[in-house]
Amino acid sequence: MFVRRGFRVLWAPLIASVMLAGCGGGERARIPEKKPVAERPRISERELRQCMADLRAADVRYDPLPDRSFDGGCSAIASVKLLDVGVPVANLGAMQCPLARTFAQWAYYAAMPAARKFLGSELVKIETMGSYACRNVNGNAYSSGRLSEHAFANAVDVAAFLLADGRRVTVTSGWNGSSDERAFLRALHQSACKRFQTVLGPDYNRAHYDHLHFDMGRGPYCR
Ligand SMILES: [Zn+2]
């Protein structure tokens, strides 16, 4: 999850990049709080069909979810619930399809090979702390402040990895744990930075001591 304390740090380079980027900058600078859901950049029907076709082509099992809007400006639009991305994933709810597709690619092309390479065992399960959650960047109730990408089903928090040899590598203990666990988790973090828009881990701030946050919102930002 985002945390308010680090937000100025996050935004300073983004404001510069928005100014440089020109076209589309207005979208990125928009504050989502209390804006009607329809004003958020939407995934077109065509993009959604393509995204779901990509999931099927990759043998990813998922359930499509109906579009939903919630109090406080939260929503889960163009979302799916991932069932199997090559390994089971625990605690996932709604994810916007492009986020789900990127997560499935990260699991297959980064997490599974990294488990073999750095830990010498097959990855058998990814444990998350969830995806959709109607909350602010600081994790408080949604009555004030900026909504997190979690509030749009556009973020996922990854907490631990279960291996075939019985080991369970958590972000909490592994980030500064044994050398192989450190290498494994950093490889996953680095790979995520090439795929997701924003990636936040234990080096970002104390709120992320126990998980890696991936989202497809503003970015790129990797910490
Ligand atoms: Zn998060």
Side-chain angles (χ1 to χ4, degrees):
M1 71 190 91
F2 281 121
V3 169
R4 185 192 296 274
R5 187 162 159 262
F7 218 75
R8 284 193 196 87
V9 179
L10 176 65
W11 270 90
L14 290 180
I15 290 166
S17 72
V18 161
M19 289 170 71
L20 288 170
C23 181
E27 289 297 316
R28 281 167 181 258
R30 175 178 294 158
I31 298 170
E33 186 198 15
K34 292 174 182 169
K35 294 280 183 180
V37 169
E39 287 194 19
R40 249 181 98 77
R42 290 284 296 269
I43 300 164
S44 71
E45 279 297 318
R46 187 179 167 191
E47 286 172 307
L48 180 58
R49 276 200 305 276
Q50 181 62 53
C51 181
M52 291 190 177
D54 291 343
L55 291 179
R56 288 193 296 276
D59 282 333
V60 171
R61 289 199 308 117
Y62 67 93
D63 281 337
L65 298 177
D67 288 352
R68 296 190 68 186
S69 296
F70 304 92
D71 289 345
C74 298
S75 64
I77 307 293
S79 294
V80 301
K81 179 177 171 61
L82 290 176
L83 303 174
D84 190 327
V85 299
V87 290
V89 186
N91 303 321
L92 282 183
M95 298 168 88
Q96 286 191 36
C97 189
L99 171 71
R101 178 174 56 191
T102 302
F103 181 81
Q105 290 167 341
W106 170 83
Y108 188 82
Y109 292 110
M112 292 167 73
R116 283 180 219 119
K117 178 178 178 182
F118 295 103
L119 303 172
S121 185
E122 291 293 319
L123 184 64
V124 295
K125 189 177 188 180
I126 298 172
E127 297 175 9
T128 79
M129 297 167 72
S131 45
Y132 172 79
C134 191
R135 67 182 186 224
N136 282 340
V137 292
N138 57 8
N140 292 342
Y142 55 79
S143 54
S144 65
R146 186 187 299 275
L147 287 171
S148 163
E149 288 298 320
H150 286 284
F152 303 106
N154 205 26
V156 57
D157 294 331
V158 178
F161 303 86
L162 200 63
L163 301 163
D165 64 10
R167 250 196 296 180
R168 182 169 174 268
V169 177
T170 66
V171 173
T172 303
S173 64
W175 190 257
N176 293 308
S178 65
S179 60
D180 56 349
E181 290 183 352
R182 292 166 61 109
F184 170 68
L185 291 174
R186 277 161 183 75
L188 297 191
H189 182 277
Q190 282 304 311
S191 175
C193 287
K194 295 174 188 159
R195 301 168 185 276
F196 298 92
Q197 285 298 306
T198 292
V199 173
L200 306 174
D203 290 345
Y204 177 62
N205 63 15
R206 262 190 263 171
H208 292 77
Y209 78 98
D210 62 350
H211 68 278
L212 304 176
H213 166 105
F214 306 152
D215 78 54
M216 296 294 275
R218 304 169 185 85
Y221 188 83
C222 169
R223 180 78 188 274

